[in-house]
Amino acid sequence: MFEILFAAALVFAPAEVLSRRPAEEARQGVAVDAAFLYAVDNAQIAKYDRKTGQKVAHFKGDPVKFPHMNSCAVIGAELVCAGSNYPATPMQSQVEVFDPKTLSHVRTIPMGPQPGSLTFVDRKDGSWWAGFANYDGRGGEPGRDHTFTTLVRFDDQWRALNHWTFPPEVLARMAPSSASGGAFGADGRLYVTGHDRPELYVLSVPNGGGVLRLVGTIPIAVEGQAITFDRSAPGVLFGINRAIREVVAMKLPPVEEK
């Protein structure tokens, strides 16, 4: 039934590949600003010049303190990263904040009990938005499988305001894993990737909570993992090919609802 539901959804034109750049730390995700790339790999982040490809800064943390940074985003003057203790259980999550100029660690924000393992963080409409993954196998907790994957909106004190679950047709594509990457586009929609499929899910977010609605999917040149938008170039999305340690820039097609 899930495959039928997914087949009925709108599939947009494939994203256009703009560039490919090697980055040995590109195992979990990538963040970008107008001048630099930030490749993420669990306990380390490397900063690369976007024009020359030269590595200009490197953070390597203690794997005990930084067991699994999954994704990062340049938000304001900070590099904000989603961290967790994946695949350990019970799940624990935290937000790690860095200075993007030097990659020095600024602070840790413990999340406390949450509905999953933190995989992405973004900022929109004066709030923090965070994706919490759940898994069928490794890294999962008894009584919760991938269908418990959740989006949460927080205030500036990281108090939960609203919760959204994911539509069944998207959950079926992500199974047995979960949402690995997520970022809001300039159009206000949430763009999400799973763990290993080369596709991007475009989701609308109903006011006040509920179930996210699938607008459509976009074929992309990366196999899931964390993603980020280039805020200096509307419609340009960055992702990684972890198998070959590569950062890929892509131009997304226009997204229009039926």
Side-chain angles (χ1 to χ4, degrees):
M1 181 179 70
F2 288 145
E3 293 293 338
I4 294 173
L5 287 171
F6 190 82
L10 187 61
V11 178
F12 299 104
E16 176 191 358
V17 174
L18 300 178
S19 67
R20 299 178 183 270
R21 187 175 294 280
E24 60 182 298
E25 301 82 8
R27 295 196 65 226
Q28 296 298 336
V30 61
V32 300
D33 57 28
F36 299 99
L37 304 171
Y38 305 83
V40 183
D41 177 15
N42 288 325
Q44 61 178 327
I45 305 170
K47 179 179 180 179
Y48 290 85
D49 186 293
R50 287 179 58 172
K51 289 184 178 179
T52 67
Q54 180 182 1
K55 187 186 297 187
V56 296
H58 187 205
F59 169 83
K60 190 169 185 179
D62 180 353
V64 175
K65 184 177 179 180
F66 301 92
H68 185 71
M69 284 190 293
N70 187 75
S71 66
C72 299
V74 179
I75 300 175
E78 297 182 318
L79 181 65
V80 181
C81 302
S84 73
N85 65 337
Y86 177 87
T89 55
M91 296 178 181
Q92 297 178 13
S93 298
Q94 63 280 336
V95 177
E96 304 289 359
V97 181
F98 297 84
D99 180 346
K101 294 181 180 179
T102 63
L103 289 189
S104 59
H105 184 247
V106 177
R107 64 187 179 277
T108 297
I109 305 169
M111 298 294 288
Q114 296 294 339
S117 182
L118 181 66
T119 55
F120 65 85
V121 176
D122 204 353
R123 180 84 177 170
K124 176 178 174 289
D125 296 337
S127 298
W128 293 102
W129 302 73
F132 293 94
N134 285 276
Y135 308 93
D136 291 0
R138 183 171 182 259
E141 290 187 357
R144 294 208 311 247
D145 62 10
H146 72 280
T147 63
F148 283 73
T149 299
T150 305
L151 174 72
V152 182
R153 182 178 185 177
F154 294 89
D155 66 14
D156 283 335
Q157 287 70 49
W158 293 95
R159 296 174 297 204
L161 302 174
N162 309 104
H163 294 72
W164 292 262
T165 56
F166 281 68
E169 58 269 42
V170 172
L171 291 168
R173 303 290 287 184
M174 294 192 297
S177 294
S178 191
S180 187
F184 281 96
D187 58 5
R189 298 184 179 96
L190 179 65
Y191 291 73
V192 172
T193 48
H195 186 268
D196 49 19
R197 289 184 185 268
E199 52 198 33
L200 181 68
Y201 311 114
V202 185
L203 302 166
S204 63
V205 183
N207 292 330
V211 182
L212 300 169
R213 186 176 66 83
L214 178 63
V215 176
T217 63
I218 300 173
I220 54 177
V222 299
E223 296 177 347
Q225 303 303 312
I227 54 172
T228 193
F229 276 101
D230 181 354
R231 304 301 179 185
S232 67
V236 175
L237 184 81
F238 280 73
I240 66 164
N241 280 320
R242 66 184 301 172
I244 57 175
R245 311 290 180 89
E246 177 184 68
V247 174
V248 183
M250 298 163 283
K251 176 69 174 179
L252 299 186
V255 173
E256 297 181 1
E257 300 192 43
K258 291 181 178 178

